[in-house]
Amino acid sequence: MRDSADAPDSGEISHEAPPGNGAASGAASGAASSSVPGPGELDALRRRTQAVLIASQILGGLGVSTAVALAAVLAKDIGGSEAVAGLASTSSVIGTALLSLPFASLMAARGRRVGLTLAYVVAAVGGAVVVVAAALANFPLLLIGMAAFGAGNSANLQARFAAADLAEPARRGRAISTVVWATTIGAVLGPNIAAPAGRSTSGLGIPAAAGPFVWGTGVFLVSAVLVHLLLRPDPLLTARALAEAEAGGEGGGGAGERSLKAALATVRDSARARLALVTIAGSHTVMVSVMVMTPVDLGGHGADIALIGLVISGHVAGMYAFSPVMGWLADRLGRLSVILLGVALLAVATALAGTANGHHAQSAAGLFLLGLGWSAGLVAGSALLTDSVPQPARAAVQGLSDLIMNAAAGVGGALSGLVVSGAGYGWLNAGAAALLVPVAALTLLSLTRRNRARSHEPNV
């Protein structure tokens, strides 16, 4: 199933046939065949899968945010300069981007459970390496550990697609958004327990700034065990078995259809998949580029640490807390409509933040809308991407999406400091807003093609 850009669909959703009954089974490459559940079993499996993913997201968000809260402090202490403080977070972002494709390839071959479990294990190893680097005061080793630690964020991102594997097409937006929302709990709790985590390791000869990484390592190991034991049957392998059963035993697709080459070919052939990728990458890059420099701008206009923390907390709330609303809107109004909503919110956010000039309430409003626009773009874009590609290629395309998303955001975050130092925070926001133009143009083009196709439908 592939949606073309001019497909006369309803609400931009691909309407797939409901799964059938029976005990047919589909073979999945590299894994045992998955039996096809009946309608009642499928509903129970959807609920169980979502519950496991929500729990892993809470833990994963907690692991990432607890440690990253003091990553810059740890890098400054080891590196001896504020100039290198940002390299720790940059290494984590790069690690997330580079590890997205290998984990997606593993999921395409072996299923979500194996891929997510390994991602959390790699993140735990990365956290342990960071602790060793802190004890040895070894800066290069710290960067290596932070890159591996980025696997935790990669797992958190891939979990949203795992939620969509078994979701009904008309409820994919809500399934994705519910898992994204679960990150809120860990993301909010994490920074607040960073200080106790640092104090807890003081008697072990570990620097206080590395203590959160000890906790993060433990949290990721718990996440790995949770996913490995409870994410059964695997949602991706079950979805493939359902697709094969519906196609009379011919819907599973071979390993070649799940490769990176096949993912690139799939995106090339689907206008909506290209739009989804541009939306996800564009929304994330705009959000990261503006967000990372906002504390600097606020501090330059007299804001204290407490106020900066409050503004960033409001931004995080905008990112995650309202994602179920965005999922509901994406299912009810359509993916394209919510993408345009996200573009509008991000445009208003950059306008408010870029012209605040020390008006802290305006900055706070801009950052809140920045998070809200990101949520709309990520949820609607992820649902559209899942809708727009055939089932066998989805995992590979989704991994490609996360690679592009994080690579683009990494470049944006790295350049944002140069833009602010050379031209100012206002120009950074103007440049970020310019990135929204191709997203808006492609979305309007897709809507125009769809409406034109509908106008040529014969009246029945």
Side-chain angles (χ1 to χ4, degrees):
M1 175 273 301
R2 180 175 299 169
D3 289 349
S4 63
D6 56 355
D9 52 32
S10 174
E12 296 89 48
I13 297 174
S14 303
H15 294 282
E16 299 171 352
N21 296 318
S25 63
S29 175
S33 61
S34 299
S35 60
V36 177
E41 296 173 312
L42 185 56
D43 288 340
L45 179 56
R46 285 172 178 149
R47 291 191 296 270
R48 175 185 173 89
T49 298
Q50 189 169 68
V52 174
L53 292 173
I54 287 173
S56 69
Q57 281 294 90
I58 293 172
L59 291 171
L62 183 65
V64 170
S65 61
T66 300
V68 170
L70 293 180
V73 175
L74 182 60
K76 176 180 174 295
D77 291 345
I78 297 177
S81 169
E82 291 184 354
V84 300
L87 291 181
S89 295
T90 301
S91 295
S92 180
V93 171
I94 292 173
T96 299
L98 294 179
L99 291 169
S100 295
L101 272 183
F103 289 137
S105 298
L106 180 61
M107 291 181 202
R110 302 290 300 276
R112 300 289 187 193
R113 184 175 65 88
V114 174
L116 290 175
T117 298
L118 182 61
Y120 284 128
V121 169
V122 171
V125 172
V129 171
V130 169
V131 173
V132 172
L136 300 177
N138 188 315
F139 191 74
L141 187 62
L142 170 70
L143 298 183
I144 293 173
M146 287 301 302
F149 196 78
N153 198 40
S154 180
N156 291 346
L157 289 170
Q158 285 289 314
R160 77 189 192 278
F161 289 123
D165 286 333
L166 293 175
E168 298 169 285
R171 296 184 63 87
R172 277 192 187 128
R174 277 165 281 188
I176 291 171
S177 65
T178 300
V179 171
V180 172
W181 170 86
T183 310
T184 310
I185 301 174
V188 171
L189 286 177
N192 293 296
I193 65 174
R199 291 193 297 268
S200 70
T201 59
S202 58
L204 303 176
I206 298 173
F213 286 92
V214 176
W215 284 36
T217 295
V219 168
F220 282 138
L221 288 175
V222 173
S223 300
V225 172
L226 175 74
V227 170
H228 181 71
L229 294 179
L230 299 182
L231 197 63
R232 300 169 183 264
D234 189 280
L236 179 59
L237 301 186
T238 303
R240 284 185 184 154
L242 287 166
E244 185 172 350
E246 291 164 17
E250 299 178 357
E257 295 181 64
R258 303 166 193 159
S259 64
L260 174 59
K261 182 178 179 181
L264 291 169
T266 300
V267 172
R268 181 196 63 206
D269 295 340
S270 172
R272 292 203 169 193
R274 295 195 298 274
L275 169 58
L277 285 178
V278 170
T279 298
I280 294 169
S283 300
H284 194 57
T285 302
V286 169
M287 185 275 291
V288 170
S289 300
V290 174
M291 182 270 294
V292 296
M293 295 308 298
T294 296
V296 176
D297 180 71
L298 289 170
H301 286 96
D304 59 17
I305 294 177
L307 179 57
I308 293 173
L310 184 62
V311 171
I312 297 302
S313 294
H315 169 67
V316 172
M319 288 176 65
Y320 297 116
F322 296 89
S323 57
V325 176
M326 298 304 174
W328 181 82
L329 289 174
D331 288 338
R332 293 297 299 270
L333 302 181
R335 319 309 193 207
L336 302 184
S337 298
V338 177
I339 288 174
L340 288 177
L341 173 62
V343 168
L345 288 169
L346 290 170
V348 173
T350 55
L352 287 173
T355 60
N357 293 322
H359 294 86
H360 300 323
Q362 183 174 329
S363 294
L367 265 289
F368 173 75
L369 291 178
L370 187 74
L372 207 59
W374 174 87
S375 180
L378 183 76
V379 171
S382 299
L384 180 63
L385 184 67
T386 303
D387 294 341
S388 303
V389 298
Q391 206 288 326
R394 279 180 189 163
V397 171
Q398 290 159 352
L400 178 65
S401 166
D402 283 352
L403 169 64
I404 294 173
M405 163 185 171
N406 287 287
V411 172
L415 293 178
S416 61
L418 297 177
V419 174
V420 170
S421 63
Y425 182 70
W427 281 105
L428 171 65
N429 280 270
L435 297 177
L436 300 171
V437 173
V439 181
L442 289 174
T443 306
L444 291 171
L445 178 61
S446 185
L447 279 169
T448 300
R449 288 177 173 174
R450 187 201 66 184
N451 292 336
R452 185 184 302 125
R454 284 179 174 174
S455 69
H456 287 87
E457 287 181 350
N459 292 325
V460 180

